[in-house]
Amino acid sequence: MKRKTGFNDNFVKKKQKVGTKAKPTPQNAMTFKTRNITLLDQTALRSKKGQMVTNRNLTLSDLFVKLNHYAPLTRKDALFGLKQLIDEFGDLIEANSYQLIEKTLTLIPDPEPKVRFALRKFYESFFDYFRVRSERNSKEVKTESMEEDEVVKE
């Protein structure tokens, strides 16, 4: 039986001729050079100063993204983050109230009870803020009208 040529040529040991020195096996250089780089325009490195952030350092847009997450715990945490933003930055949230209602309305038929509970707490805080604000404004209007009446009487 003939032996196949080219079979396992990679693993055949060459016979060394008498009187010749073996060539050293090639070695790869294993030196590395490292340098630091700074990425000034990367979003993960941007500071969130001047923005409304929760205690987990999440902005309003981050929370809006988390409201559509597949995990119910993440949706619940996003709702509690929105509630925290309303409690801390009520005046600034007022400008985004339409977006808040629009994004959270999709969670009303959520199958998870924890998410629905968090949604109820969010809406309680949301509407309480506007109720207190309207009461405060109505008191201010009453005092202003009373002052105007006194000025007119004099």
Side-chain angles (χ1 to χ4, degrees):
M1 189 181 256
K2 266 190 171 180
R3 194 169 174 174
K4 294 182 183 178
T5 57
F7 181 72
N8 284 338
D9 285 342
N10 292 333
F11 302 107
V12 174
K13 186 176 180 182
K14 276 191 165 182
K15 292 182 181 178
Q16 189 174 1
K17 294 185 180 179
V18 179
T20 59
K21 291 184 179 179
K23 293 180 184 175
T25 58
Q27 292 181 350
N28 295 335
M30 299 298 287
T31 58
F32 297 100
K33 294 181 182 179
T34 60
R35 292 186 181 178
N36 291 335
I37 58 170
T38 56
L39 302 174
L40 299 178
D41 203 25
Q42 191 173 9
T43 58
L45 299 177
R46 284 188 195 148
S47 68
K48 295 180 178 178
K49 292 181 181 176
Q51 292 183 345
M52 302 177 290
V53 292
T54 64
N55 58 0
R56 293 185 176 187
N57 206 23
L58 297 172
T59 62
L60 190 61
S61 58
D62 295 337
L63 293 171
F64 283 158
V65 170
K66 288 183 180 277
L67 284 177
N68 297 326
H69 199 269
Y70 66 91
L73 184 63
T74 305
R75 293 192 303 267
K76 179 188 75 121
D77 289 343
L79 285 167
F80 280 124
L82 289 174
K83 181 183 177 303
Q84 181 185 6
L85 285 180
I86 288 172
D87 294 340
E88 293 179 15
F89 305 101
D91 297 334
L92 298 174
I93 288 290
E94 192 173 331
N96 299 311
S97 60
Y98 176 76
Q99 282 181 321
L100 283 169
I101 292 174
E102 182 183 25
K103 301 283 185 181
T104 55
L105 279 177
T106 59
L107 295 176
I108 289 176
D110 196 279
E112 288 293 322
K114 292 178 181 181
V115 176
R116 290 193 309 267
F117 177 77
L119 183 65
R120 191 180 91 212
K121 290 293 182 185
F122 163 74
Y123 277 134
E124 286 174 1
S125 178
F126 183 75
F127 292 125
D128 279 347
Y129 166 75
F130 284 105
R131 182 184 51 80
V132 169
R133 186 177 163 273
S134 66
E135 289 175 358
R136 189 174 358 129
N137 286 344
S138 65
K139 287 180 183 178
E140 290 175 3
V141 169
K142 286 180 184 177
T143 56
E144 288 176 4
S145 64
M146 291 173 78
E147 290 174 359
E148 289 175 0
D149 290 342
E150 291 176 5
V151 170
V152 170
K153 288 180 182 177
E154 292 176 359

